[in-house]
Amino acid sequence: MAVTIRTIAEAAGVSRGTVDRVINNRGGVKPELERKIRRLIAELGYRPNRAGKVLAALKKPITIGCLLPGVGNPFFDGIIRGFRQAERELSDFGVSLEISLIKGFDVREHVDALRALARKNVSAICAATVDVPEVREAVNGIIRSGIPVATVNSDLSGTGRLFYVGCNYPESGRTAAGILNLIRRDEMELLIVTGSVHMQGHNQRIQAFTQELADRSVRFHVAKVIETGDDEEIAYRCALKALRDFPGVNGVYVTSGGVSGVCRAVCEKNLAGKLTVLCFDDIPSTRRLIRDGVISATICQEPSQQGYRSVKMLFEDIVNAHPPEKRLYYTDTVIKIRQNL
Amino acid sequence: MAVTIRTIAEAAGVSRGTVDRVINNRGGVKPELERKIRRLIAELGYRPNRAGKVLAALKKPITIGCLLPGVGNPFFDGIIRGFRQAERELSDFGVSLEISLIKGFDVREHVDALRALARKNVSAICAATVDVPEVREAVNGIIRSGIPVATVNSDLSGTGRLFYVGCNYPESGRTAAGILNLIRRDEMELLIVTGSVHMQGHNQRIQAFTQELADRSVRFHVAKVIETGDDEEIAYRCALKALRDFPGVNGVYVTSGGVSGVCRAVCEKNLAGKLTVLCFDDIPSTRRLIRDGVISATICQEPSQQGYRSVKMLFEDIVNAHPPEKRLYYTDTVIKIRQNL
DNA sequence: TTGAAAGCGCTACCAT
DNA sequence: ATGGTAGCGCTTTCAA
């Protein structure tokens, strides 16, 4: 039988309660006794048993708060599915989620939603939010109040967040370049369509993409970079104009939303299939466009894994009461084409 | 607080032991009482708590036996990693693995190894083995003796195996065709290199590949199909001969092992980069060849997920004592190129 | 500062 | 056929 808290207690000649106090740093143990117990823990190789912990913790249920700007954005459905999957698996351990969905990236709304979650006395928070000073401050405040916060899908720089689970944006950009390099051997005139020049992930995707094209000695130049704010209508109009202004464009690279708007413009100009379209993520409209041969490939980031792993790891953090091994968890960069969609 | 076995017992006016007997079909309960208890279970929505089950089951440790033909075959390293990961996560629940690695696909050896595992009184078996009558019989015998068996990576048809976790071979073949269709627009003369014409998975990969090429109206014809028995040396010699005999070959499709042998031949004939090579799985030698630009893409099957999920699900089966929802679990078909390797 | 005991949900075993 | 009880590993609370 494994080494339990009882083994330690007997070896030290004390009660299990005392050992528990040492293990969980609850204080109130004579220093020399504490040292003795710690030594025994190390020597005997004691590892707390999760089943026991969980069973004991069942008395007070755990709620994990989740924040996503998912309203009207089907990309986040995958993350939500992952959340729910984790919730189901952890329901036996008394875990339930409080998912707060908001629309868009308004800073005030994000801050308010985060604070609202914190007030519902959740045990931890998992959020996909915007990396701006106001949000960072709010998050740091919440962390100081004792609620651990993890980021999912988009990170918060310079905060005390527990860990980040999400896309490796540079790698995803490089991969797009790699696919383009496989598909086309001619000189490329590229139209780049991005969500926001203020989103770090989008910029990294552009930067890594062009860098990799250069590294692979692809002859290319960028005709234009369009910013859409992830709005389909804007994407459509701007793409249409750009395709008119630059008739030589033979490749379109879409770093985030606006995919179907761009493709509408491509189809209207009768360029579907001629021009190579690459984009990110797997949402219903993108799937259709891949099936129809308008988009060659989409590069995905396993959103449901992101949701699943972040909640699972937050739970581990809550019951283990010790920080996770890593602070960055990247999901795989997944290439999807018609056949493996 | 959730509905527990105690809730049911009190509601039925019986002891927890009696409820336990009903839940686990241990018999020895008066029929009408049993009906009453079952009704209450349904009405109150009782769901057994895994933490409690696991804790109680901790008294007698669980061993899961695993069989892989992994000796000298680096592909199986990924599955082993998945096994170990699951073992680590389940160690708190008293689970340990007994992994038996054998070399190659000799039927006698496989049968012997399976029987040896069964004799070590494991609680369940997870095996990647060969789909031939002798093995199927052995497996069915083991299942009849009360040990559940799951298949991983390659399935056993017409046996009582609990479930299969592994590759969707037809999809992986179609995906290879899809990539070829993206890369090349010219007429293709293809060399197909396969492991064994007796392996169902390999055949499915060929069949789905050529079918998908036809469906996509790719102009192609197959110059030759080579069988290598997954031997690098044979692969090398046969590929060299085929490339000599069919100088028009501009594409090579390798369904299983023999990848580096084939690529050696390709390089010797100075065809690296000119000819499109597609293969499966991600092993060190394949990685190098992708980095060096000899192979365009490899289609992978998440081997570590296969190992991880099969063990996790066997454990669930053991503690839940009720069969899993599905009998087929396919891992994703993952396209790897230089940039997302 | 420390010990003792109850209890989380479930199973196993002995007694009736 | 059924009940009662101990115990799995851990936390928590009360008492000393």
Side-chain angles (χ1 to χ4, degrees), chain B residues 191 193 224 226-228 231-245 258-266 268-269:
Chain B
L191 176 63
V193 182
K224 195 172 187 344
I226 297 173
E227 187 178 2
T228 67
D231 183 294
E232 299 297 345
E233 199 52 35
I234 295 174
Y236 165 67
R237 282 201 306 270
C238 294
L240 201 61
K241 180 172 184 311
L243 291 175
R244 224 171 8 233
D245 294 349
V259 174
S260 67
V262 169
C263 288
R264 189 145 69 96
V266 168
E268 264 180 36
K269 297 286 278 179

Side-chain angles (χ1 to χ4, degrees), chain A residues 5 16 20 46 48-49 52:
Chain A
I5 214 169
R16 297 183 282 163
D20 184 63
Y46 166 76
N49 183 293

